[in-house]
């Protein structure tokens, strides 16, 4: 799966989100299932993968240092979990949860990596995100800028051998959606704009978010997948 194919998967996942809502896991089945299928094709017959939308449709469990964790994508060799991948696709109200997303990522990574299992992360976010009030009315646009990317920029400088809370490798994927001609009144109007499209073109953001170092792959799914496979096969 190359970048263009991955963008189409993101488009399909976003379309399903519009139809099923934020509480449904149908959008995750599309996204996680496509990643799992691609990685297994790259890894070969000696491996297996557990994920929503793939195989038996169930997530795998990885025994953490402190607690066992159900992981979005679990790579197995034989019956042993040899790596995990956490996947996050933010579609609305980013700012109120941005620090929680980051802190939770660090915590779950440390828990798994402390048990000597490599742990990777994929974080997908549109560069312009709607922020809604509790009643669903539109409040404002949020922009994913260099300010929001700064913590990932610092993370990219970490030595992953020494920093156990840092993912073995993280894919930061910032995308562009077609822009509405004017701000929507509410969530329904926002959703209807995209539902009116036969397909939703999703492209990579060209925003300058800084120069990411080794621990973070920015906007390049194929490079990230190659690095995951190389690391797993080197174990």
């Amino acid at each position: 799966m190359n970048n263009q194919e991955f963008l189409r998967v993101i488009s399909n996942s976003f379309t399903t989100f519009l139809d099923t809502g934020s509480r449904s896991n149908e959008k995750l089945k599309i996204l996680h299932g496509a990643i799992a299928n691609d990685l297994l094709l790259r890894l070969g017959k000696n491996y297996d993968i557990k994920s929503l939308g793939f195989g038996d449709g169930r997530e795998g469990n990885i025994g953490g240092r402190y607690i066992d964790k159900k992981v979005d994508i679990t790579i197995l060799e034989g019956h042993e979990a040899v790596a995990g991948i956490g996947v996050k696709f933010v579609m609305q109200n980013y700012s109120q949860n941005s620090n929680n997303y980051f802190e939770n990522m660090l915590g779950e990574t440390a828990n798994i990596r402390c048990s000597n299992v490599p742990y990777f992360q994929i974080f997908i976010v549109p560069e312009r995100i709607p922020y809604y009030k509790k009643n669903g009315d539109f409040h404002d646009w949020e922009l994913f800028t260099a300010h929001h990317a700064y913590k990932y920029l610092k993370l990219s400088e970490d030595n992953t051998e020494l920093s156990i809370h840092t993912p073995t490798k993280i894919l930061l994927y910032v995308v562009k959606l077609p822009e509405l001609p004017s701000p929507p009144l509410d969530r329904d109007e926002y959703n209807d704009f995209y539902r009116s499209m036969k397909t939703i073109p999703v492209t990579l953001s060209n925003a300058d978010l800084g120069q990411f170092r080794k621990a973070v792959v920015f906007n390049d799914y194929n490079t990230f997948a190659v690095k995951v496979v190389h690391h797993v096969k080197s174990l």
Side-chain angles (χ1 to χ4, degrees), residues 137-179:
D137 287 349
F138 178 82
H139 175 67
D140 204 355
W141 294 114
E142 299 180 308
L143 299 179
F144 189 87
T145 65
H147 168 75
H148 298 102
Y150 178 74
K151 47 184 170 282
Y152 296 94
L153 198 65
K154 295 300 291 182
L155 185 77
S156 77
E157 300 171 357
D158 288 350
N159 182 331
T160 57
E161 297 299 319
L162 301 177
S163 301
I164 207 70
H165 61 275
T166 304
T168 309
K169 195 74 67 179
I170 181 168
L171 173 64
L172 175 62
Y173 214 71
V174 185
V175 299
K176 291 179 66 173
L177 301 172
E179 293 191 2

Side-chain angles (χ1 to χ4, degrees), residues 6 31-32 34-40 42-43 48-52 59-60 62 69-76 81-88 105 108-109 112 117-124 167-171 221 224-229 232:
F6 189 52
L31 180 60
H32 297 187
I35 297 168
N37 181 68
D38 178 60
L39 290 176
L40 189 58
R42 294 171 186 257
L43 284 163
D48 195 9
I49 294 183
K50 294 188 70 63
S51 166
L52 291 176
E59 295 174 333
I62 294 181
K69 179 75 170 64
K70 191 168 284 190
V71 173
D72 294 328
I73 297 171
T74 303
I75 300 172
L76 302 100
V82 294
I85 304 174
V87 184
K88 190 73 179 176
M105 176 190 70
E108 69 184 43
T109 299
I112 292 174
V117 177
Y119 196 59
F120 303 85
Q121 290 274 357
I122 297 174
F123 189 80
I124 305 167
T168 309
K169 195 74 67 179
I170 181 168
L171 173 64
Y221 170 80
F224 173 79
V226 167
K227 290 181 180 297
V228 170
V229 170
V232 170

Side-chain angles (χ1 to χ4, degrees), residues 11-12 15-16 18-19 178 192-201:
S11 174
N12 292 338
T15 299
T16 302
L18 297 174
D19 291 335
D192 287 344
F193 171 78
Y194 292 104
R195 285 198 191 104
S196 69
M197 299 179 180
K198 186 175 181 180
T199 58
I200 301 172

